[in-house]
């Protein structure tokens, strides 16, 4: 079995687990996160004035729904100048370091007023641990992985399985080179103590397909159809998912999800409101991971596809070309079958 770090493709899995807790009446979409953990009772909005951070109080409480649909105000250090400043000046933990101190980040705007990709799902992983009194890996294994046969998905890799972990490469000047920093962690078999609900899982395409099938099935033992319908439909109203410029080009190119296509966000997934150039139909759901892994679920054709590439920077030209060619090929095949 070849493992890969699926990074932010962890997020939909964490989102599903939150809905399990909602169905058990432990929380609701309207629950304020400060009511779960007082750690989050005094979250500030940060702005950079000149070269100094300035903080102000938020008027709106951050709710579970804001974290699920990325309208909480949280950001990422590779996408938001303010967060990068705090990390660079050691005022906030670097995401690359082990530990959950980065959860103490300030937010960038009033919750509910904008869509912005950030660490909100990592906070939801912490919520799951608080409410279940289990480590996130243990909760997911008991309530999801074991139930649907995801035997090769985990936050922890045993030593024998680490030998089958795909290396991460840097794509520079049309050449692939091993990313030595990440390789060191892999070869030293270093497991992270903090289980990041926003990006910590290792998995493979076969296992991830089992997760995707939950959303294509008419009935399952994991989640109600009502919850699934909420996860896969627009939950940001008139707000839109827009292009996000990168502030760390070595790590990620700008998140250019093709602004010609209107996009919304549900609870865990981006939703296409137009047909893609490659042929993916309206209403399909999608997400991706920083090491250039991608997946989508197409309800019209009842198919899903997961593509795993292990390289940086995110959204480099080679990975986007590969993703586009695979998607185009799939829909050309479907169209040919439908026309015969």
């Amino acid at each position: 079995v070849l493992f890969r770090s699926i990074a932010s493709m962890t997020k939909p899995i964490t989102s599903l687990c939150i809905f399990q807790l909602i169905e058990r009446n432990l929380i609701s979409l309207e629950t304020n996160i400060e009511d779960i953990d007082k750690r989050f009772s005094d979250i500030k909005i940060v702005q950079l004035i000149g070269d100094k951070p300035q903080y102000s109080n938020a008027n709106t409480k951050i709710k579970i729904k804001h974290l699920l649909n990325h309208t909480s105000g949280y950001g990422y250090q590779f996408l938001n100048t303010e967060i990068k400043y705090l990390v660079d000046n050691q005022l906030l933990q670097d995401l690359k370091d082990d530990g959950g101190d980065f959860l103490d980040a300030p937010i960038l705007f009033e919750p509910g007023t904008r869509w912005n990709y950030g660490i909100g799902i990592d906070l939801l992983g912490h919520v799951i641990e608080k409410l279940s009194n289990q480590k996130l890996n243990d909760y997911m294994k008991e309530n999801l992985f074991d139930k649907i046969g995801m035997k090769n998905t985990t936050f922890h890799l045993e030593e024998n399985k680490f030998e089958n972990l795909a290396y991460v490469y840097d794509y520079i000047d049309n050449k692939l080179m091993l990313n030595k920093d990440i390789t060191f962690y892999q070869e030293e078999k270093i497991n992270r103590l903090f289980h990041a609900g926003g990006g910590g899982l290792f998995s493979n395409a076969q296992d991830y397909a089992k997760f995707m099938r939950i959303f294509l099935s008419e009935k399952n033992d994991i989640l109600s159809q009502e919850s699934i319908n909420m996860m896969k439909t627009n939950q940001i109203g008139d707000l839109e998912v827009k292009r996000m410029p990168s502030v760390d080009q070595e790590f990620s190119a700008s998140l250019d999800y093709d602004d010609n296509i209107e996009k919304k966000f549900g609870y865990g997934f981006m939703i296409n409101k137009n047909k893609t150039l490659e042929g993916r139909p309206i209403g399909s759901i999608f997400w991706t991971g920083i090491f250039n892994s991608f997946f989508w679920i197409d309800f019209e054709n009842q198919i899903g596809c997961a593509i795993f590439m292990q390289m940086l920077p995110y959204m480099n030209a080679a990975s986007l070309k590969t993703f586009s060619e695979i998607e185009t090929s799939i829909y050309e095949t479907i169209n040919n079958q439908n026309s015969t």
Side-chain angles (χ1 to χ4, degrees), residues 9 205-206 208-217 269 280-281 284-286 294-308 323 326-327 330-331 334:
M9 283 171 61
Q206 293 87 345
Y208 211 82
K210 293 173 182 176
F211 169 71
M212 292 192 292
R213 284 192 191 105
I214 293 171
F215 296 87
L216 290 168
S217 303
F269 306 98
R280 199 185 330 154
S284 300
I285 59 177
F286 161 86
F294 304 88
F295 82 94
W296 76 86
I297 301 172
D298 167 358
F299 300 103
E300 182 178 312
N301 295 293
Q302 284 289 292
I303 62 167
C305 178
I307 303 164
F308 291 86
F323 177 35
I326 291 172
E327 186 181 347
I330 287 171
Y331 285 102
I334 289 172

Side-chain angles (χ1 to χ4, degrees), residues 6 27 58 65 92 109 159 216 228-229 231 261 278 294 313:
I6 66 170
I27 48 170
K65 66 181 182 182
L92 181 65
F109 51 85
E159 289 189 16
L216 290 168
I228 287 173
N229 288 341
M231 291 183 73
I261 296 172
E278 291 81 6
F294 304 88

